[in-house]
């Protein structure tokens, strides 16, 4: 019986292997294609990119929010690039601590919306071209709709060029957020008291807000490909024009302002809360060198400002992204 069972299992394994090898696009037999290079110039990229960010999501220990943003990035030759970014929550309900303050606060403070601004410049210490290999997915015009979705596509690897940038980054940032004053104090092990030294009641729900300004200093690495090839046979044009950046920054926030909490004539001073000066972040972002495209980004770190409340994770999506060469001059020659 065991012998028969083993033979049956062996038969099924062999049969499934044969069937898998016969699936379109999954042939194990090596295929060879020829191609025409349309362009391969990683230095021929747009100078200005404008990002509309319909959605970002951020978990920040002091607050969490979902909203929209805007970003612009400018590349000046092979010397430097500079980026401006801004974001804010959609509305009160997408700004969690602010929403909780409106619903639960027993004090007179009016919590403000979450906002974040930054401007970062990168000086290109190394900006060079190097040889590499690029993987392309081979899309066949024979596969349409559901047939393409159900197909395991072939791919090829083609020698191309890549631009590699190593840079030093520096810049500034500013943010504002509503603050659960009582919860932060409890995490810091602080017993809240008013100006007269009287402790806050257990039923008191204390909220305030905070603004902070600081600066970054870090480094980044960017890889740029800008290549297109036209294969023979039935395959469509293959394009790889990704601009990918990974970065790490040290952060300092010397300017932190937390508002006192007012409950009628009672004042709970903000100076009771502890702040911290130093933080760090790491992240990555990618976009494409096209007139209209999309982009993505993510980062995590410890944001300086409030002690024990700095951890955050942020993800964002940009669509559409507009880019331009910022060149409108047309060359002319005499006849």
């Amino acid at each position: 019986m065991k012998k028969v069972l083993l033979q049956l299992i062996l038969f099924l394994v062999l049969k499934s292997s044969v069937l898998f090898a016969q699936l379109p696009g999954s042939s194990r037999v090596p295929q060879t294609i020829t191609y025409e290079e349309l362009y391969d110039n990683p230095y021929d990229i747009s100078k200005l990119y404008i990002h509309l960010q319909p959605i970002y999501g951020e978990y920040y220990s002091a607050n969490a929010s979902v909203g929209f943003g805007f970003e612009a990035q400018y590349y000046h030759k092979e010397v430097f690039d500079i980026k401006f970014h801004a974001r804010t929550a959609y509305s009160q309900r997408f700004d969690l601590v602010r929403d909780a303050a409106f619903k639960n606060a027993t004090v007179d403070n009016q919590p403000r919306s979450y906002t974040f601004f930054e401007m970062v410049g990168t000086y290109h210490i190394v900006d060079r071209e190097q040889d590499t290999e690029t993987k392309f997915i081979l899309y066949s015009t024979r596969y349409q709709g559901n047939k393409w979705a159900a197909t395991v596509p072939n791919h090829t690897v083609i020698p191309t060029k890549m631009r590699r940038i190593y840079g030093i980054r520096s810049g500034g940032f500013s943010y504002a957020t509503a603050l659960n004053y009582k919860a932060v104090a409890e995490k810091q092990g602080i017993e809240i008291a008013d100006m007269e030294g009287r402790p806050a009641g257990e039923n008191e729900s204390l909220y305030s807000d905070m603004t902070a300004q600081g600066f970054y200093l870090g480094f980044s690495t960017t890889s740029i490909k800008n290549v297109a090839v036209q294969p023979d046979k039935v395959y469509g044009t293959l394009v790889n024009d990704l601009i990918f950046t990974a970065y790490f920054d040290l952060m300092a926030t010397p300017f932190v302002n937390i508002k006192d909490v007012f409950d009628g004539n009672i004042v709970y001073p903000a100076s009771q809360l502890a702040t911290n000066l130093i933080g760090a972040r790491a992240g990555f972002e990618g976009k494409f060198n096209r007139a209209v495209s999309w982009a993505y980004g993510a980062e995590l770190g410890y944001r300086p400002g409030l002690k024990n409340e700095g951890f955050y994770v942020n993800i964002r999506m940009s669509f559409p992204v507009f880019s331009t060469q910022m060149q409108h001059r047309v060359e002319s020659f005499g006849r």
Side-chain angles (χ1 to χ4, degrees):
M1 182 64 181
K2 291 183 179 179
K3 185 176 181 180
V4 174
L5 183 59
L6 289 174
Q7 291 176 342
L8 179 60
I9 292 174
L10 181 60
F11 171 77
L12 292 175
V13 170
L14 293 174
K15 187 66 175 177
S16 62
S17 299
V18 173
L19 290 175
F20 179 78
Q22 293 174 348
L23 287 175
S26 64
S27 174
R28 296 175 182 269
V29 179
Q31 297 182 5
T32 301
I33 65 169
T34 58
Y35 63 90
E36 176 188 359
E37 181 183 288
L38 302 180
Y39 59 84
D40 185 6
N41 187 357
Y43 283 91
D44 185 23
I45 65 171
S46 296
K47 291 185 177 180
L48 179 65
Y49 295 83
I50 303 295
H51 300 234
L52 301 182
Q53 295 179 339
I55 185 170
Y56 82 84
E58 179 173 288
Y59 170 78
Y60 172 36
S61 296
N63 193 4
S65 63
V66 178
F68 62 96
F70 170 84
E71 185 173 309
Q73 187 166 14
Y74 171 76
Y75 290 85
H76 182 70
K77 300 180 180 179
E78 292 83 53
V79 182
F80 70 87
D81 64 85
I82 188 168
K83 181 179 75 173
F84 171 78
H85 171 72
R87 62 179 181 265
T88 188
Y90 287 131
S91 63
Q92 174 186 315
R93 63 180 296 186
F94 293 96
D95 192 344
L96 298 191
V97 173
R98 182 169 182 251
D99 187 49
F102 276 109
K103 294 177 179 178
N104 305 316
T106 59
V107 296
D108 301 329
N109 295 57
Q110 293 296 313
R112 63 187 301 167
S113 301
Y114 175 80
T115 56
F116 185 92
F117 303 92
E118 71 173 333
M119 180 170 285
V120 180
T122 303
Y123 176 72
H124 300 181
I125 299 175
V126 176
D127 191 334
R128 67 188 179 202
E129 184 181 283
Q130 62 189 59
D131 295 328
T132 187
E133 291 184 333
T134 300
K135 179 180 178 180
F136 294 94
I137 300 298
L138 296 174
Y139 173 75
S140 174
T141 56
R142 295 176 301 180
Y143 300 145
Q144 302 292 335
N146 293 333
K147 190 173 182 180
W148 167 248
T151 299
V152 179
N154 290 324
H155 71 274
T156 189
V157 176
I158 296 175
T160 64
K161 299 175 182 177
M162 181 176 70
R163 179 180 174 187
R164 174 71 73 180
I165 301 172
Y166 296 99
I168 293 180
R169 296 159 46 93
S170 65
F173 65 93
S174 174
Y175 68 93
T177 181
L179 189 66
N180 189 331
Y181 184 96
K182 194 171 185 179
V184 172
E186 290 176 354
K187 286 185 179 181
Q188 295 182 354
I190 298 170
E191 185 175 348
I192 300 173
D194 63 17
M195 296 290 287
E196 305 298 327
R198 295 169 297 192
E202 292 185 2
N203 296 325
E204 290 285 348
S205 185
L206 310 180
Y207 286 84
S208 181
D209 52 57
M210 176 184 73
T211 59
Q213 296 82 37
F215 56 87
Y216 303 119
L217 180 62
F219 63 89
S220 66
T221 176
T222 300
S223 61
I224 302 175
K225 292 182 179 181
N226 189 39
V227 56
V229 299
Q230 179 60 62
D232 59 1
K233 301 181 180 178
V234 295
Y235 297 115
T237 302
L238 309 179
V239 177
N240 188 317
D241 55 359
L242 176 63
I243 303 173
F244 181 84
T245 299
Y247 55 88
F248 175 82
D249 297 321
L250 292 176
M251 310 164 69
T253 308
F255 308 106
V256 179
N257 179 35
I258 304 172
K259 286 190 176 180
D260 295 336
V261 179
F262 296 90
D263 186 2
N265 295 325
I266 302 174
V267 179
Y268 298 96
S271 58
Q272 297 180 96
L273 299 183
T275 61
N276 73 305
L277 176 65
I278 302 298
R281 69 174 182 177
F284 63 86
E285 54 193 19
K287 59 180 175 287
F288 300 88
N289 184 46
R290 302 171 194 175
V292 180
S293 187
W294 64 283
Y296 58 87
E299 64 184 43
L300 63 84
Y302 190 88
R303 181 177 295 156
L306 280 171
K307 184 179 179 181
N308 298 336
E309 294 286 351
F311 176 77
Y312 78 98
V313 178
N314 175 278
I315 58 173
R316 54 195 181 273
M317 185 71 67
S318 299
F319 182 82
V321 176
F322 303 101
S323 73
T324 175
Q325 289 275 6
M326 300 181 67
Q327 292 181 347
H328 304 288
R329 176 179 173 180
V330 179
E331 296 292 342
S332 58
F333 299 93
R335 294 180 179 176

